[in-house]
């Protein structure tokens, strides 16, 4: 929190899709936002313009979350600009560039997905957590920082043509518990949000398939999820609505995970 009382959020992959939805919901609540992106500079600028149109303040920061040097520069930039990080949202993620049956899928695609979806967020969290601990120790009575990881229903639902993605999200679920257990003593809570089928670029290529499945009853709440559905949950967490929960998974999937006969 700065002298004006504004908290700062770093949202990885904030340029598009779910990340943009998170940035906008936090901006509505007065957060200063660091909008990270890897390649989509124009879309990151659009997100920032939307943040500003809501009366918010922020910056865009390029950085490939899979790169240690970029993660270092990303955090340094946010600290130089805002002096602190109160909310870390590990949202950036990729699907395999080509869906391939696990009998055929390649090691290079496995590395690409795991480096971005799991190794990057794990070590970004390590770096940011150390800063958050310093912030808490400097101001023990202040509002506590939080970390939110964007997982996926794929953490425990098998897709045979994107095994690497499923494994990466199962890893995010464990990463959430690890950091939650490690950081609780500092009052820093860690959560996993587990989206189902959300309307973004990531699902655009399989839209027709999911339109048909949703019409056929795949999701009890019979509609596509929207980025703002995730954004509102992040905002509630950031505001301390779940202060006596940590390591928790919150499904944002319209009830899709409910086993049904
Ligand atoms: P999206 O529309 O494809 O957007 C992905 C975002 O991540 C973009 O801002 C992208 O920026 C950024 N990104 C990708 N690789 C990056 C990297 N190496 N470094 C930094 N940023 C990077 O995807 P989305 O649907 O919003 O997904 C967001 C998160 O939700 C992901 O973790 C995804 O796995 C998860 N999720 C999505 C769904 C769904 O149905 N859409 C469901 C469950 C979980 P650039 O364009 O600059 O690369």
């Amino acid at each position: 929190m700065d002298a004006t009382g504004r908290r700062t959020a770093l949202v990885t992959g904030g340029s598009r899709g779910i990340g943009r939805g998170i940035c906008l919901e936090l901006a509505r609540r007065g957060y200063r936002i660091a909008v990270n992106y890897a390649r989509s500079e124009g879309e990151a600028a659009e997100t920032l313009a939307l943040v500003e149109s809501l009366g918010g303040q922020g910056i865009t920061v390029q950085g490939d979350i899979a790169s240690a040097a970029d993660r270092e520069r990303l955090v340094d930039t946010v600290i130089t600009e805002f002096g602190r990080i109160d909310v870390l949202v590990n949202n950036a993620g990729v699907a395999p560039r080509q869906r391939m049956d696990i009998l055929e899928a390649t090691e290079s695609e496995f590395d690409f997905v795991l480096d971005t979806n799991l190794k990057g967020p794990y070590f970004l969290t390590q770096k940011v957590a150390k800063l958050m601990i310093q912030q808490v120790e400097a101001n023990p009575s202040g509002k506590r920082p939080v970390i939110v990881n964007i997982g996926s229903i794929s953490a425990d639902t098998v897709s045979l043509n994107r095994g690497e993605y499923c494994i990466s999200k199962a890893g995010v679920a464990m990463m959430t518990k690890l950091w939650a257990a490690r950081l609780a003593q500092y009052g820093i809570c860690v959560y996993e949000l587990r989206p189902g089928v959300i309307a973004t670029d990531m699902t655009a290529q399989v839209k027709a398939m999911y339109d048909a499945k949703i019409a056929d009853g795949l999701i009890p709440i019979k509609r596509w999820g929207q980025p703002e559905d995730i954004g509102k949950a992040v905002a509630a967490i950031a505001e301390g609505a779940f202060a006596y929960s940590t390591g928790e998974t919150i499904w944002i999937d319209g009830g899709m995970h409910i086993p049904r006969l």
Side-chain angles (χ1 to χ4, degrees), residues 32-261:
R32 300 177 304 182
I33 318 283
V35 181
N36 160 253
Y37 66 98
R39 292 155 287 266
S40 52
E41 186 179 3
E43 283 160 304
E46 274 173 35
T47 300
L48 183 56
L50 289 167
V51 162
E52 288 169 351
S53 74
L54 294 168
Q57 184 195 351
I59 53 169
T60 61
V61 195
Q62 193 281 332
D64 178 350
I65 228 67
S67 152
D70 281 19
R71 290 192 297 272
E72 192 86 13
R73 181 172 47 76
L74 168 61
V75 173
D76 288 351
T77 304
V78 180
I79 294 300
T80 301
E81 191 70 26
F82 295 128
R84 57 186 300 113
I85 299 174
D86 300 285
V87 179
L88 169 65
V89 185
N90 285 307
N91 164 75
V94 290
R97 287 163 288 203
Q98 200 187 347
R99 291 186 177 213
M100 290 177 79
D101 185 280
I102 56 174
L103 281 170
E104 308 297 338
T106 63
E107 283 195 36
S108 65
E109 208 56 20
F110 187 96
D111 289 344
F112 167 65
V113 172
L114 268 288
D115 284 356
T116 309
N117 293 5
L118 184 58
K119 183 174 155 190
Y122 183 79
F123 284 103
L124 181 64
T125 298
Q126 183 188 64
K127 185 163 178 58
V128 173
K130 288 180 183 171
L131 291 169
M132 288 177 164
I133 290 168
Q134 287 172 12
Q135 291 171 196
V136 169
E137 288 176 344
N139 181 17
S141 60
K143 198 168 176 179
R144 293 306 161 106
V146 297
I147 297 172
V148 182
N149 299 321
I150 306 302
S152 169
I153 195 159
S154 297
D156 76 350
T157 298
V158 164
S159 292
L160 293 178
N161 59 2
R162 47 177 195 153
E164 58 287 87
Y165 184 79
C166 297
I167 291 168
S168 73
K169 293 301 186 180
V172 168
M174 176 48 75
M175 163 185 150
T176 301
K177 295 187 207 309
L178 285 164
W179 286 116
R182 185 66 184 86
L183 299 176
Q185 71 193 91
Y186 304 101
I188 301 169
C189 294
V190 186
Y191 306 85
E192 178 199 359
L193 296 187
R194 196 171 278 188
V197 182
I198 313 297
T200 69
D201 293 344
M202 189 179 272
T203 46
Q205 287 174 344
V206 284
K207 181 175 183 311
M209 176 191 78
Y210 280 123
D211 281 344
K213 287 189 179 207
I214 291 169
D216 212 28
L218 174 71
I219 306 174
I221 299 176
K222 221 171 176 175
R223 66 166 173 87
W224 281 78
Q226 298 298 325
E228 69 176 43
D229 291 316
I230 321 298
K232 285 177 178 162
V234 171
I237 288 170
E239 291 295 285
F242 298 92
Y244 194 54
S245 303
T246 193
E248 197 57 66
T249 298
I250 301 172
W251 300 81
I252 306 184
D253 66 344
M256 190 162 84
H257 70 283
I258 302 168
R260 284 170 288 160
L261 283 173

